[in-house]
Amino acid sequence: MIRKIINNNDLNINLLRKTWRGRKIYAYYKAYGLDYDFCQFYAVGETGILLKFNSTILIINPDKQELENLALFIQMHLPFRIECDMPVCAMLAKILPEYHALHRTTFELQPDTQNQNFEEKFVEFNPSLEQVYQILQAGFPNLQDYALWLTDTSHRCRHGVSHVLTYKNSTTATIMFDIDNYVLIGQVATLPEARGLGHARMFLRWLAEWLAQFDKTAVLYALDIRESFYREIGFKIIDTEYVLELKNSEQENMMKGLLENA
């Protein structure tokens, strides 16, 4: 059975804080709580938790016997993207012909104390979000419209869940969340005119070192099209998985690039 969670005491926070996907769900809870229609939390059987945020569904720890209910729930809502544990993803892929699987790699950022060409004075810790959007749109041409992005990003930043940074007014990265010193980095992009100068490479290496001094572990996700870039930087592969995306969706052009850099 899948039931909507309407009471804070019914959300297993301890379970959420044990895994990267769980922390991601917890970050949405910290930002929005249980009172928004576009951000809804569900219990899946006795042990599972599902988050439906706009056109994305995240699932952790579902009972195996709930697979059919999950498939029905997904077919009813038809989210653009589904993120869940690999065994569940594999089973859902077999029974949901509307979706195809995309390979994704999780990289752990590695500090680089030899990043001598980086100029920290050009890091902006509180940039204009309008400027950040312009950089992101150049990197993700199909990013959702400005009003939706601004509403979500500014809300998450105001509630201390996310933090946006830029470097030399041309490269941006976002701390999507920092939970128990586990940090997810996302929305990394550089303006076309600044590409090839090494800004993103140096900025991410500096960010890794900056976070490490606070004993934080940081990761980012990359689909295969970006995997080689992070490998060349020297970031460490700690996991690979598949996410499901809707085939031939009218939303596809709008939603690609919405989540992290993937």
Side-chain angles (χ1 to χ4, degrees), residues 76-246:
M76 180 171 64
H77 294 280
L78 286 180
F80 173 69
R81 175 172 287 183
I82 304 163
E83 300 184 25
C84 52
D85 297 339
M86 281 297 295
V88 178
C89 180
M91 290 186 286
L92 287 176
K94 294 179 181 178
I95 59 178
L96 293 173
E98 305 94 338
Y99 289 85
H100 61 115
L102 298 179
H103 186 250
R104 186 170 75 176
T105 302
T106 303
F107 286 91
E108 181 179 331
L109 279 64
Q110 301 294 302
D112 182 3
T113 57
Q114 303 302 315
N115 199 12
Q116 297 176 351
N117 294 325
F118 185 78
E119 299 175 275
E120 187 171 338
K121 65 182 179 181
F122 291 113
V123 175
E124 175 58 63
F125 288 87
N126 293 288
S128 158
L129 291 183
E130 181 177 358
Q131 178 192 39
V132 171
Y133 179 81
Q134 292 172 352
I135 300 173
L136 285 174
Q137 196 171 42
F140 302 105
N142 298 317
L143 186 68
Q144 63 179 347
D145 69 78
Y146 176 66
L148 286 174
W149 176 86
L150 179 63
T151 299
D152 180 46
T153 302
S154 60
H155 184 92
R156 292 167 64 93
C157 290
R158 285 198 310 273
H159 284 77
V161 174
S162 299
H163 194 96
V164 182
L165 302 93
T166 60
Y167 178 59
K168 291 192 172 181
N169 298 318
S170 60
T171 298
T172 185
T174 296
I175 295 174
M176 306 301 294
F177 65 71
D178 178 353
I179 295 173
D180 301 329
N181 286 334
Y182 291 98
V183 177
L184 176 65
I185 303 297
Q187 296 188 354
V188 179
T190 298
L191 288 173
E193 57 267 29
R195 291 173 190 167
L197 301 177
H199 287 177
R201 183 185 301 264
M202 289 188 292
F203 187 29
L204 287 171
R205 284 175 168 169
W206 170 84
L207 187 56
E209 184 179 355
W210 182 67
L211 290 169
Q213 69 180 325
F214 302 107
D215 296 322
K216 298 181 185 296
T217 299
V219 304
L220 56 77
Y221 299 132
L223 295 178
D224 285 351
I225 193 172
R226 295 289 289 165
E227 188 266 352
S228 62
F229 174 75
Y230 297 113
R231 187 191 295 270
E232 289 169 6
I233 288 178
F235 290 173
K236 178 182 176 183
I237 295 175
I238 61 171
D239 194 17
T240 61
E241 62 179 352
Y242 287 88
V243 297
L244 300 179
E245 285 194 358
L246 195 60

Side-chain angles (χ1 to χ4, degrees), residues 3-8 10-12 34 41-43 49:
R3 59 178 178 83
K4 186 177 178 182
I5 297 174
I6 58 175
N7 188 315
N8 291 302
D10 292 335
L11 189 63
N12 189 339
L34 303 177
F41 299 81
Y42 296 84
I49 299 173

